[in-house]
Amino acid sequence: MLLLSFFGSRGVTYAEMIPPPQLTLTEYSLSLQVSNSIQHSSLVITRVEFERDEDCVILKGWQKLAPLSKYDGHFEKPLNDLDLTSETAPDLGYYWEDPNGNRTQMELSLSSSRPSE
């Protein structure tokens, strides 16, 4: 049991990422850049889930001890996996959900490589 908790993953709160995560809309995907936890410097963020709700997208992250992992803090989700397009994605809200269920609204930046409207 102790071994599992030592090597298992734990949720990431929005407040422990400094600078805050940067969410960008590209032509075909949502691109997320995150920083490692300032509270748990030995852990790295290894997974981020993007979940589509009716009028928003919820992001959740997990971190674990991964000392030999290559880490760049970049995660990407294709828009079509969320039933979105580059035209409909800006109309939704984007939130980071902490392990306790609290949500923080995120700003969505538009990539300069997106086609002009």
Side-chain angles (χ1 to χ4, degrees):
M1 181 74 161
L2 180 61
L3 193 58
L4 177 61
S5 64
F6 180 75
F7 289 109
S9 61
R10 65 176 291 282
V12 181
T13 65
Y14 186 87
E16 67 186 279
M17 295 179 284
I18 306 273
Q22 300 295 310
L23 184 62
T24 305
L25 175 62
T26 69
E27 185 175 1
Y28 301 107
S29 66
L30 290 172
S31 175
L32 179 69
Q33 187 66 41
V34 297
S35 301
N36 270 341
S37 170
I38 59 170
Q39 296 173 350
H40 306 280
S41 60
S42 63
L43 303 177
V44 294
I45 299 171
T46 56
R47 182 174 56 130
V48 174
E49 288 182 1
F50 296 71
E51 298 173 4
R52 169 79 188 270
D53 205 351
E54 235 178 89
D55 59 352
C56 65
V57 174
I58 308 299
L59 290 85
K60 299 177 186 178
W62 285 265
Q63 57 192 347
K64 66 180 182 179
L65 185 63
L68 301 178
S69 298
K70 181 180 175 188
Y71 181 75
D72 69 358
H74 183 255
F75 299 89
E76 204 152 324
K77 184 70 166 181
L79 291 174
N80 59 0
D81 286 359
L82 300 167
D83 291 327
L84 293 172
T85 67
S86 58
E87 291 79 29
T88 60
D91 298 333
L92 298 179
Y94 293 86
Y95 299 88
W96 185 273
E97 187 171 287
D98 292 345
N100 65 4
N102 289 343
R103 291 182 179 175
T104 302
Q105 188 167 11
M106 299 177 69
E107 184 176 320
L108 179 66
S109 301
L110 304 180
S111 169
S112 57
S113 64
R114 276 183 75 229
S116 52
E117 299 181 23

